[in-house]
Amino acid sequence: MMTKFRRRPVKFLLALSVCTPALIAPAFAQDAPTAGDEQEIIVTGSRIPTIRDQGPAPVTTIDSDTIRANGYTSVPELLAAMTQNSGETQSPQSGSSADFTPGAQQVDLRGLGPNHTLVLINGRRIADFPLPYIGRSNFTDISNIPVSLIDKVEILSGAGSAIYGSDAIAGVVNFKMKEKLDGITLDYRHGRTEHGGGMSHRVTATGGWSTDRFNIAGGIEYLDQRPLWAFDRSIQDSTQDNPVNTLARRTFLRIDENVDYIAPPPGACNALSSLNMGTIRQYNRPRYGDFCGSEESIAYGTIISGRKGFNSFGTMSYELSDNAKLFADFQFGISKVRLMYDVTSWAFEQSSSSADNYFYNSFTDQLEDWSRQFTPEETGGFEMQRIKQTTYSITPGIRGTVADKWNYELSFNYSRYQSVVRWPQIINQKAQDLFLGPQLGIDPGTDYPIYNANPSRLYTALTRAEYESISADTVYRPYAWTSNLQATLTNGELIELPAGPVGFAVVAEYGKQGYNLRPDPLALTDYYYSWRDSDGEGKRSHAAIGGELRVPVLDFVTLTGAGRFDTFGFAGRDVSKFTYNGGLEIRPTNSLLFRAAYGTAFRAPDLHYVFTGPGNVQSSVDDYYLCGIEEPDEDIGDCTYSGTGVVVNRTGNRDLKAETGKTLTAGIVFAPSSRLHVSVDYFRVTLDNQVDDLSIDQIARDEAACRPDINGNTELDPTSPTCQDAIARVSRFTSGGFVNQISSIRVNPINIAQERTSGIDIAFRGTLPTSFGDFTLSAAHSHVFKHSFQQYPGDPIENKLAFDSGFYLPRDKSNGSISWAKDGLQFTFSGTRLGKLPNYDEDAFLKASYLFNATLQYDFTDHMRGSLTIRNLFDTNPVKDPTWSAYPYYNTSWFDSIGRSVFLQLTYKLGGAGL
């Protein structure tokens, strides 16, 4: 007797047969569907309905059964396993994530940047995360998408602009939510880690109800994810884990004008020994001196952010007639996220735009620089960033048929993402008053401010009241939104040719998009210590019209083509772009497909790149001018002014043009039956006019070439536009101890860079039915032939896969799984392989890494299912890098130290068909 594990509806077969990644849930022996069983589907990358599950461009599909069988507990985990997702992104414990995009995560197809991957839900755009990625560009946050409410995920590899418009350069990720539901399904999942911390609870309910004409379906998810603290993992719980330098953190520090440490007053460190959980003591840094510090305070941060959230999704429809249906899709979610990257700190600074921060201390009659970190005992516990995220979208519309063959849909989509973000900050002037007292003027000999500061004040623990008097939360209230009115008209049988019907689709769109950072107004000034942010606010309008055609030329040859014209209006100007694509399918037999697709793509100027206001970031640069006139015989790397600390003043550019791209894919698919599927696809992506910030190194080079050298000569004409621009962008100190050194450089984004990548994707899936169960083996591999980058025309072309490129991209990425199923019992063993990555010193590669998971699933009845998932089955730590001296001593873009995790899940369905 065949069990339900061996039988799937035909519609499920269609979805499953698209699955090309390795981590695939079992697909079992099936009889081929008859012609009467064939049903039309819409596959990501086309608007024309088809019975074919494979088209000219590769599409990878992961369904809800696959998600559960492979133990994916979140959307970021799911996409991280996909071989096409090869870019380094921000993890929850990265500093740039905490500073710029707290609580958000990204997807980066082909390593071209998150802003070049288009993310859709049910084929529609959603609002961007309201804060920019690395403080620069807009992107889509995937962390808030509820994995338990996903029906399937489709990943289109290749340009999609001719179908979807802007952003679809590297590819498209489309999340299709559960819509066809009967009965009520209740699901509970509990997770915990073997080494402690990070416990989670998730409750999900989905259901649907219908009458003859009305249908409603939807689901809700509640997630309670507890934080996991870094001090709970032995590989990163102190500076002793640093493979290069195990010296403690400098919790209390004074420096003289020679950058030597000034020894703490006698007994000061002992008096502070109860702070940082009793870990403060006196340390010595060879060649520098003594300080009061802690080895353990480095681990006062989170690996997994705490998150409590509610997410919901639903759809409803009402049939006006046999040829017209009203519908509405809606989504609402709210999450509260807590994370901590580091403790708060303070150091003397004249302003956030100053790289020279000494003061003259009349109490000790010398130039000094003071700094300290604040401890949990002083702050009243760990000070965490708190983020409240609210997302919602609604799409009402009408769809139906006209004249039997024409399908139409008219819809309006509105989506919004808003946040309230709270960071703990130190109020700079109040801290200076507390530690240094009032400023007593300017020292005439050094031009530095004068304070009469008793060092004992620095080495005294603060009371809670004292700390609260110099600290405050900076509160941002950013939001982003998008709206779009869309009309589509499709006909799968426009005309009948000898080889079959011609398919046709046309689309017209009009919409608007905007964002507003709404930062704390005080954060735009020097009010907070080392925190002067930039503002950003802008919007744009958008209109587009496009068409698509599928033509069966011969019985075994099909051509497809699409074209689309988009225009964006912003900042008093318009940017327009026409994109197109073409595809070829050759099917010499039913089991063999040769395919190829070529397409152009574009990305409209990023809103934040255009509208960002002035802000400051810390950086360093070689001062070619001073090295040339003061140390002309030294190599630039050995010059005293190499790596000079500077402040980079950054602002937006309202004259940016669209980024453009081209994508080529070509491959072969062999699927002699539903039990075997093999595909090999070549890809090539080129990206031109890529937006990037002006290079501070190039500006410093140009400025030096425009100033007189030691012989009074200039390499470039000082009156040329290049020289006038470079000299205006570089500011130098005119007083103090750093006279004539670079103090700041002004930059903005421009269309300048070029990027190229090419490679091959290979996928295999095979099922073997036996008398003792069905076995399914799946595997996928992506290999990158090359990935090059050129910032300026004429610059050397950088190999982003080289160990000394400054990028951490793998050349190879693989995943695989083997599953066994019999009589309601199913076991899946899956794994991923990440190819070698550069080490921290960028002088060698690290070895490849592996991660394995296992899931055991059992159907107690047709309506109750239980599963046990073990993630990181072998409790594997990040690959050891003996050169990685930056905390947490491994690459957080690719690794974490969570260790082995266990998840128990129980699903029960009330009414309706079986699970």
Side-chain angles (χ1 to χ4, degrees):
M1 177 179 177
M2 300 289 283
T3 69
K4 66 185 179 64
F5 274 87
R6 291 193 177 95
R7 282 292 177 193
R8 300 287 187 196
V10 172
K11 203 154 192 180
F12 182 71
L13 258 180
L14 290 172
L16 207 59
S17 62
V18 195
C19 296
T20 56
L23 299 181
I24 301 299
F28 304 103
Q30 301 280 347
D31 295 328
T34 66
D37 294 328
E38 293 175 339
Q39 301 179 40
E40 289 188 340
I41 57 174
I42 298 291
V43 177
T44 297
S46 174
R47 298 185 188 276
I48 303 175
T50 178
I51 61 173
R52 299 286 191 181
D53 55 9
Q54 295 284 349
V59 177
T60 299
T61 300
I62 312 99
D63 62 32
S64 58
D65 285 350
T66 302
I67 292 171
R68 178 163 181 160
N70 289 279
Y72 301 132
T73 62
S74 67
V75 168
E77 283 182 5
L78 162 65
L79 294 181
M82 299 300 103
T83 61
Q84 304 95 327
N85 186 17
S86 57
E88 50 181 328
T89 55
Q90 298 171 334
S91 79
Q93 63 173 328
S94 72
S96 59
S97 175
D99 282 345
F100 297 115
T101 55
Q105 291 183 262
Q106 311 83 25
V107 57
D108 183 1
L109 298 183
R110 305 302 185 196
L112 293 172
N115 54 343
H116 297 111
T117 298
L118 177 61
V119 177
L120 306 172
I121 293 183
N122 284 350
R124 307 182 196 280
R125 292 175 182 264
I126 57 176
D128 290 330
F129 187 73
L131 293 173
Y133 180 71
I134 320 181
R136 295 186 179 183
S137 62
N138 302 111
F139 72 99
T140 303
D141 176 24
I142 61 172
S143 67
N144 260 333
I145 300 174
V147 70
S148 62
L149 301 182
I150 294 173
D151 180 46
K152 59 183 175 180
V153 183
E154 294 179 338
I155 302 174
L156 169 68
S157 299
S161 287
I163 303 297
Y164 300 109
S166 176
D167 305 337
I169 294 179
V172 180
V173 180
N174 183 24
F175 296 90
K176 294 189 175 181
M177 311 305 288
K178 294 178 179 178
E179 294 182 350
K180 296 187 177 179
L181 303 166
D182 62 345
I184 297 176
T185 302
L186 303 176
D187 181 270
Y188 170 73
R189 190 197 71 197
H190 171 72
R192 59 177 59 227
T193 63
E194 179 173 321
H195 303 291
M199 182 183 297
S200 67
H201 302 272
R202 190 191 73 191
V203 179
T204 306
T206 59
W209 177 76
S210 63
T211 65
D212 290 343
R213 291 187 175 275
F214 179 75
N215 178 78
I216 185 170
I220 57 174
E221 176 191 271
Y222 175 76
L223 175 66
D224 181 4
Q225 172 68 64
R226 313 287 173 82
L228 172 60
W229 291 91
F231 51 71
D232 286 330
R233 293 296 179 264
S234 60
I235 69 167
Q236 62 182 89
D237 62 356
S238 80
T239 58
Q240 287 297 314
D241 300 312
N242 190 324
V244 178
N245 181 4
T246 61
L247 189 65
R249 298 190 88 188
R250 292 156 291 190
T251 312
F252 300 87
L253 180 66
R254 294 164 60 219
I255 299 176
D256 65 19
E257 61 181 316
N258 298 315
V259 200
D260 292 326
Y261 295 175
I262 303 172
C269 297
N270 287 335
L272 299 168
S273 61
S274 62
L275 300 181
N276 276 339
M277 300 183 180
T279 62
I280 295 288
R281 66 185 183 90
Q282 187 161 327
Y283 294 87
N284 177 267
R285 183 182 182 187
R287 299 190 303 276
Y288 285 89
D290 289 358
F291 63 94
C292 298
S294 167
E295 295 178 347
E296 286 77 6
S297 65
I298 191 77
Y300 294 167
T302 51
I303 299 173
I304 297 177
S305 304
R307 181 186 291 266
K308 290 186 178 181
F310 164 87
N311 276 285
S312 62
F313 180 83
T315 182
M316 64 176 68
S317 63
Y318 180 77
E319 292 187 10
L320 297 173
S321 67
D322 292 342
N323 298 319
K325 178 188 293 187
L326 296 174
F327 70 91
D329 297 336
F330 49 88
Q331 174 273 331
F332 176 77
I334 185 168
S335 297
K336 294 183 178 180
V337 181
R338 296 180 301 134
L339 62 90
M340 182 173 177
Y341 175 67
D342 202 354
V343 297
T344 53
S345 61
W346 170 84
F348 175 75
E349 64 175 10
Q350 298 186 49
S351 72
S352 64
S353 59
S354 175
D356 182 5
N357 290 312
Y358 283 99
F359 67 92
Y360 176 74
N361 192 349
S362 61
F363 191 91
T364 58
D365 192 25
Q366 62 181 347
L367 292 178
E368 297 185 9
D369 184 12
W370 287 17
S371 64
R372 76 172 334 263
Q373 297 169 348
F374 298 99
T375 67
E377 293 80 7
E378 296 171 302
T379 61
F382 292 122
E383 287 193 299
M384 304 183 75
Q385 295 181 34
R386 288 95 65 208
I387 306 101
K388 182 180 179 181
Q389 302 170 335
T390 303
T391 62
Y392 59 88
S393 61
I394 185 168
T395 307
I398 183 172
R399 64 170 65 102
T401 59
V402 177
D404 294 332
K405 293 183 178 181
W406 290 93
N407 300 314
Y408 69 87
E409 180 179 294
L410 177 65
S411 64
F412 175 77
N413 170 250
Y414 180 82
S415 178
R416 186 180 179 93
Y417 195 136
Q418 60 190 43
S419 294
V420 178
V421 187
R422 301 177 185 274
W423 285 277
Q425 296 288 348
I426 301 301
I427 303 171
N428 194 37
Q429 189 58 56
K430 290 185 177 181
Q432 287 187 18
D433 292 343
L434 178 65
F435 293 114
L436 306 180
Q439 182 176 334
L440 304 178
I442 299 294
D443 179 56
T446 63
D447 288 330
Y448 285 110
I450 302 172
Y451 293 89
N452 185 33
N454 188 337
S456 65
R457 191 69 192 97
L458 181 69
Y459 295 94
T460 300
L462 300 186
T463 65
R464 179 72 181 277
E466 286 177 316
Y467 179 76
E468 291 180 347
S469 72
I470 64 169
S471 65
D473 280 344
T474 181
V475 182
Y476 287 39
R477 303 179 187 275
Y479 65 85
W481 57 273
T482 183
S483 64
N484 192 54
L485 178 65
Q486 182 184 85
T488 61
L489 189 64
T490 63
N491 189 332
E493 301 177 355
L494 180 64
I495 57 174
E496 190 72 28
L497 297 180
V502 173
F504 172 77
V506 64
V507 61
E509 297 180 6
Y510 178 78
K512 295 183 178 181
Q513 180 184 9
Y515 87 115
N516 190 341
L517 294 185
R518 290 203 295 179
D520 178 353
L522 294 174
L524 305 179
T525 69
D526 289 327
Y527 184 75
Y528 299 113
Y529 162 69
S530 191
W531 185 269
R532 185 169 185 172
D533 210 347
S534 59
D535 200 353
E537 175 187 4
K539 61 182 179 180
R540 65 189 183 192
S541 61
H542 165 239
I545 187 168
E548 182 182 358
L549 200 63
R550 183 183 67 236
V551 181
V553 180
L554 300 171
D555 289 342
F556 61 94
V557 178
T558 301
L559 296 177
T560 59
R564 177 175 168 129
F565 179 80
D566 289 82
T567 183
F568 290 82
F570 60 92
R573 53 189 286 256
D574 294 324
V575 172
S576 301
K577 197 67 183 176
F578 175 75
T579 54
Y580 62 89
N581 68 29
L584 171 66
E585 301 170 56
I586 302 176
R587 302 176 187 270
T589 67
N590 288 335
S591 61
L592 186 62
L593 167 64
F594 295 95
R595 63 186 178 188
Y598 176 83
T600 60
F602 82 105
R603 185 167 195 266
D606 186 281
L607 282 173
H608 192 67
Y609 272 133
V610 172
F611 292 108
T612 183
N616 298 334
V617 294
Q618 302 290 331
S619 189
S620 61
V621 71
D622 294 334
D623 192 336
Y624 296 95
Y625 171 64
L626 284 187
C627 287
I629 63 172
E630 295 190 11
E631 301 176 16
D633 297 328
E634 294 285 348
D635 292 335
I636 189 65
D638 297 325
C639 174
T640 303
Y641 305 104
S642 173
T644 299
V646 298
V647 173
V648 179
N649 309 129
R650 184 176 184 274
T651 190
N653 182 356
R654 302 198 174 196
D655 295 323
L656 289 175
K657 302 176 183 178
E659 298 176 311
T660 58
K662 299 175 183 177
T663 299
L664 171 67
T665 60
I668 181 172
V669 180
F670 179 61
S673 74
S674 59
R675 298 174 185 156
L676 180 63
H677 179 105
V678 181
S679 65
V680 179
D681 288 284
Y682 168 82
F683 67 87
R684 186 184 70 201
V685 184
T686 65
L687 180 57
D688 295 309
N689 296 317
Q690 188 175 3
V691 175
D692 198 5
D693 279 355
L694 287 165
S695 166
I696 61 173
D697 181 78
Q698 187 62 49
I699 292 173
R701 288 176 183 270
D702 289 344
E703 188 244 8
C706 297
R707 292 182 180 274
D709 58 20
I710 54 176
N711 298 316
N713 300 318
T714 60
E715 183 178 339
L716 299 177
D717 180 3
T719 63
S720 67
T722 297
C723 285
Q724 291 179 1
D725 181 71
I727 292 174
R729 290 180 180 275
V730 177
S731 296
R732 293 180 176 273
F733 288 109
T734 58
S735 62
F738 295 89
V739 172
N740 219 21
Q741 293 187 31
I742 297 177
S743 62
S744 65
I745 298 178
R746 180 172 52 85
V747 302
N748 55 263
I750 58 172
N751 293 94
I752 195 67
Q754 299 179 346
E755 196 161 354
R756 307 282 188 270
T757 185
S758 63
I760 190 170
D761 297 324
I762 304 172
F764 169 87
R765 178 177 56 83
T767 297
L768 177 65
T770 70
S771 59
F772 45 90
D774 294 338
F775 293 87
T776 298
L777 175 65
S778 299
H781 177 75
S782 291
H783 175 80
V784 181
F785 296 139
K786 71 174 184 178
H787 194 141
S788 62
F789 176 81
Q790 185 183 42
Q791 185 172 32
Y792 284 88
D795 281 358
I797 296 177
E798 299 180 49
N799 176 12
K800 294 184 74 170
L801 301 175
F803 56 67
D804 59 351
S805 68
F807 299 94
Y808 292 84
L809 302 180
R811 183 181 292 274
D812 297 282
K813 194 176 180 183
S814 313
N815 57 37
S817 71
I818 184 168
S819 298
W820 168 84
K822 181 177 175 61
D823 299 331
L825 182 64
Q826 177 179 312
F827 175 75
T828 302
F829 177 77
S830 59
T832 59
R833 178 187 183 273
L834 181 68
K836 59 186 182 181
L837 294 168
N839 66 358
Y840 186 75
D841 280 356
E842 298 184 6
D843 58 6
F845 282 109
L846 301 176
K847 65 179 182 180
S849 61
Y850 300 82
L851 187 69
F852 296 97
N853 305 322
T855 297
L856 181 65
Q857 181 175 292
Y858 181 68
D859 280 10
F860 298 99
T861 70
D862 285 349
H863 286 69
M864 185 166 70
R865 176 177 296 165
S867 63
L868 169 67
T869 296
I870 303 176
R871 289 190 56 80
N872 194 356
L873 182 64
F874 302 114
D875 199 22
T876 305
N877 281 327
V879 175
K880 287 189 175 181
D881 182 353
T883 71
W884 203 284
S885 58
Y887 188 78
Y889 317 127
Y890 56 82
N891 188 333
T892 59
S893 292
W894 295 105
F895 306 112
D896 61 58
S897 60
I898 296 171
R900 186 182 293 120
S901 304
V902 179
F903 296 88
L904 288 169
Q905 188 171 346
L906 181 66
T907 306
Y908 182 70
K909 188 173 183 182
L910 301 169
L915 291 168

